[in-house]
Amino acid sequence: PSTPPLPAWARELVTQYESHASSQFILTGNVSDLQLVPANPAAKPTDPDARPRLGTLTDYITATLLPRFDVIIHYDLGNGIRVEKGGELFAQWPTFKAAQNVPREPRLAVEFITAYLRYVANLRALGQKAVQVAVFIKAAHLIAPAVRGSTDYNLSALAMHLREWASEPLLTSHPLATFLFADNLSDLHPLITGNPRATRLVVPLPEPDELQRTLETVAAQYPLALGELAKDLSKPAGALAGTTVSAVESLLKTRQHLKLPIADTDLADLKKQIIEKDTGGLIDFMKPDRTLDDIHGMEKVKAWLTQDIKLWRDNDLAALPMGYLFCGPVGTGKTYMVECLAGSAGVPVVKLKNFRDRWVGSTESNLETIFRLLKALGRCIVFIDEADQALGKRQADSGDSGVGGRVYSMFAEEMSNTRNRGKVLWVLASSRPDLIEVDLKRPGRVDVKIPLLPPLPPAESWGLLRALGKKRGVELAKELPEALTPKIPLRLTPGAAEALAVKLYRQVRTTPGLTLEAALADCLDDYQPPVAPDIMQFQMDIAIREASDLEFVPDSL
């Protein structure tokens, strides 16, 4: 089979190196995943690399980009310094011959490698043949972590050495390539990430065509696991977009061992399980089992959302919003509206959770992980509840070490990325939208702001109660009984109506002989609004002011 084309990040790497613009590459993102390493055309048929295989990212770079390099050095905390290629050349270095032990501690190890790089560069300056050297630093964020405000001079010295690999004239004039791997850019020391001579590259999660090539390569090993899916591997590859090759391989191994084929109907749930596990609880998939038809009333809002869904399905993106803001008092059904929207759109809903962390830099790292996942998922809705608390503030809070400001900047950049239009639909929900930064609510980030308000006329509240009671088998009269009209609470939110419907059901089930109207009268006699009237009015006023179109506001208000 022909060799697959280089991914975009690898093409950029080649361009930067061959143009002599950069010799140091900071690779972040999906750097710990398995990669499909192409066959080596020069290998003997019996050699392992004579066929495509799964390997690490360093295996992939070595095989595809560095075949002519003479010496390849690896360093990580666990294994120390290893010379993967060119050991005989490395052994000619006098310092290595004299060394009793090769250092393992980070700063000493980096200084040791730096000394070797200067040695081969000096030899070339003296007219000897150039030795092409590549250095891989795995998990560089553990060796030179981002410790903001730190006065750890040992760590700063180590970071300076790594920085000099890309900027010291003696080294940049030599055929040298250095690679620093980190899961997220924000995990690395700022002296390294801020170096203009280093090129930052993001290794994305595999695209469906990459997953398909991987499945085709390993299919013969997992015939029982793939079952009928083996006939058309584009189907599982497309369905599992957003997952890692490592996770897919683990799934195949497990199913092969259990002799349990993966069915078409399994793919969506398996994808959710894999991603939730791989992201360590940073996101949650909401499983919508309702549509906009399940919403009582709000006809103008439902009509608008239905039109947007049709534009999305037709891939007519010019008028499709980048995001929505659902605002209104507590209990007005903001989360429920998101679930109904997603059910009608037929796309997964990703709910962000637990991305804020008390450790310095961890929150930003978590967001990098989430945003990288969203780019690979395809069409999805991203739901941010309590957006006034989650999205950060433009002005950094002195009490949070500036985390809020950095979170704000990251969300602002991602939400305004026009390349996400039609792929990622942002949905914010808040009872205090006035506390969300104005820039995050502007058109181009949040185009449509919809107030969700409790009904005022008793007849509307009765319709809501009737719909919620019906779901529990409690059939209220179509028309509001005159005797109950004075008892119906004003501004009955869906949340409060839900609680009343549950209480009514309980009354009917536990009090034999009690008429439905009498049971409801008892429930309404003891009713206490969950939100104080003055707070309810305040939150309603805010929601109405935020509305992007006054037709969303009920005529009764």
Side-chain angles (χ1 to χ4, degrees):
S2 61
T3 302
L6 291 176
W9 64 265
R11 293 197 301 272
E12 177 65 14
L13 191 156
V14 171
T15 299
Q16 292 294 315
Y17 182 77
E18 291 187 345
S19 66
H20 304 290
S22 181
S23 62
Q24 184 169 93
F25 305 95
I26 303 170
L27 284 85
T28 62
N30 194 34
V31 294
S32 301
D33 195 12
L34 293 173
Q35 305 288 328
L36 184 59
V37 181
N40 180 0
K44 297 178 182 179
T46 55
D47 290 346
D49 58 351
R51 297 177 299 278
R53 60 189 174 86
L54 294 182
T56 64
L57 183 58
T58 54
D59 293 333
Y60 176 82
I61 293 174
T62 300
T64 57
L65 307 181
L66 307 177
R68 295 192 301 273
F69 274 62
D70 303 301
V71 177
I72 297 178
I73 302 169
H74 288 198
Y75 174 66
D76 63 72
L77 281 178
N79 297 293
I81 296 174
R82 291 173 293 127
V83 181
E84 296 290 329
K85 181 182 178 182
E88 292 181 1
L89 278 174
F90 188 83
Q92 295 173 12
W93 180 31
T95 301
F96 175 70
K97 292 180 180 179
Q100 305 234 334
N101 295 297
V102 175
R104 295 176 63 94
E105 188 271 327
R107 180 177 174 182
L108 296 178
V110 169
E111 288 176 347
F112 188 78
I113 296 172
T114 303
Y116 177 70
L117 299 180
R118 288 174 177 158
Y119 165 72
V120 294
N122 281 321
L123 288 182
R124 180 171 182 262
L126 293 173
Q128 295 193 28
K129 180 183 176 182
V131 177
Q132 286 188 286
V133 182
V135 181
F136 290 94
I137 305 293
K138 296 182 182 178
H141 55 290
L142 300 179
I143 295 165
V147 183
R148 293 179 175 84
S150 171
T151 54
D152 186 338
Y153 300 113
N154 187 57
L155 176 60
S156 297
L158 184 154
M160 280 302 299
H161 271 295
L162 293 174
R163 181 185 173 102
E164 286 170 358
W165 290 0
S167 53
E168 186 177 321
L170 176 66
L171 300 182
T172 56
S173 63
H174 187 77
L176 164 70
T178 60
F179 304 87
L180 312 182
F181 293 175
D183 291 334
N184 297 302
L185 191 66
S186 56
D187 294 337
L188 265 175
H189 198 287
L191 280 174
I192 299 170
T193 58
N195 185 4
R197 298 296 302 276
T199 297
R200 297 182 290 274
L201 300 168
V202 177
V203 180
L205 288 161
E207 297 283 343
D209 60 332
E210 295 175 84
L211 280 176
Q212 183 175 344
R213 287 196 295 269
T214 299
L215 289 172
E216 289 169 351
T217 301
V218 303
Q221 302 173 44
Y222 307 107
L224 298 178
L226 287 169
E228 292 296 312
L229 294 177
K231 295 177 181 178
D232 182 9
L233 291 172
S234 65
K235 185 174 293 185
L240 293 173
T243 62
T244 61
V245 171
S246 300
V248 172
E249 184 193 42
S250 178
L251 170 64
L252 293 174
K253 286 180 176 178
T254 303
R255 289 299 187 101
Q256 182 72 17
H257 175 74
L258 296 174
K259 300 180 181 178
L260 184 62
I262 302 170
D264 265 352
T265 52
D266 297 335
L267 290 172
D269 284 339
L270 288 171
K271 174 178 177 175
K272 292 175 184 178
Q273 292 169 18
I274 289 171
I275 292 176
E276 286 175 355
K277 179 181 178 183
D278 281 355
T279 55
L282 295 176
I283 60 107
D284 190 15
F285 279 96
M286 297 169 64
K287 191 172 183 179
D289 55 1
R290 47 181 67 94
T291 67
L292 292 172
D293 293 334
D294 293 301
I295 296 175
H296 174 75
M298 304 180 64
E299 299 305 324
K300 291 181 180 178
V301 171
K302 289 192 291 185
W304 185 289
L305 295 177
T306 300
Q307 291 167 358
D308 281 349
I309 290 169
K310 186 178 186 307
L311 290 173
W312 205 3
R313 286 177 175 164
D314 294 344
N315 208 35
D316 187 356
L317 307 181
L320 188 72
M322 294 281 283
Y324 296 105
L325 169 63
F326 294 148
C327 50
V330 175
T332 47
K334 295 181 283 294
T335 300
Y336 186 82
M337 177 67 80
V338 176
E339 293 173 353
C340 293
L341 173 65
S344 291
V347 298
V349 183
V350 178
K351 183 176 181 180
L352 272 57
K353 65 173 191 177
N354 302 330
F355 67 84
R356 286 184 176 268
D357 200 300
R358 64 193 180 93
W359 303 109
V360 174
S362 293
T363 298
E364 298 93 315
S365 177
N366 290 340
L367 281 177
E368 281 191 55
T369 299
I370 291 169
F371 294 157
R372 185 165 62 247
L373 168 67
L374 297 179
K375 287 180 174 65
L377 271 181
R379 289 189 170 185
C380 66
I381 290 174
V382 182
F383 177 41
I384 304 177
D385 202 5
E386 306 294 343
D388 50 290
Q389 299 295 321
L391 294 176
K393 300 294 179 186
R394 176 193 286 274
Q395 297 296 327
D397 188 334
S398 59
D400 70 355
S401 301
V403 172
R406 292 192 292 274
V407 166
Y408 162 83
S409 297
M410 293 177 75
F411 271 113
E413 180 179 356
E414 198 66 24
M415 289 173 64
S416 61
N417 186 347
T418 54
R419 287 175 292 185
N420 290 333
R421 188 186 294 274
K423 297 178 182 178
V424 178
L425 182 64
W426 296 89
V427 179
L428 316 183
S430 173
S431 58
R432 290 296 307 273
D434 56 312
L435 299 181
I436 301 174
E437 290 285 345
V438 173
D439 276 2
L440 291 178
K441 298 182 292 185
R442 68 163 173 79
R445 290 186 176 125
V446 173
D447 302 285
V448 180
K449 294 182 279 189
I450 298 176
L452 303 184
L453 306 168
L456 276 176
E460 289 187 31
S461 296
W462 178 256
L464 182 59
L465 265 175
R466 187 170 178 270
L468 293 170
K470 188 176 181 180
K471 288 185 177 182
R472 293 169 174 77
V474 178
E475 292 281 351
L476 294 171
K478 187 173 183 179
E479 300 298 330
L480 172 60
E482 190 175 339
L484 291 179
T485 300
K487 295 178 180 288
I488 296 294
L490 292 175
R491 297 171 182 168
L492 185 67
T493 66
E498 180 90 14
L500 271 173
V502 171
K503 188 174 181 181
L504 174 61
Y505 174 81
R506 185 179 184 281
Q507 285 278 74
V508 171
R509 299 289 292 180
T510 58
T511 314
L514 189 66
T515 66
L516 196 54
E517 187 172 325
L520 182 54
D522 286 347
C523 294
L524 293 174
D525 284 340
D526 296 331
Y527 174 77
Q528 282 272 55
V531 179
D534 57 332
I535 295 177
M536 174 72 71
Q537 186 63 55
F538 174 70
Q539 293 180 345
M540 287 176 62
D541 291 343
I542 293 172
I544 292 170
R545 286 200 301 270
E546 290 285 351
S548 56
D549 197 314
L550 287 178
E551 74 170 320
F552 296 142
V553 181
D555 295 336
S556 58
L557 296 175

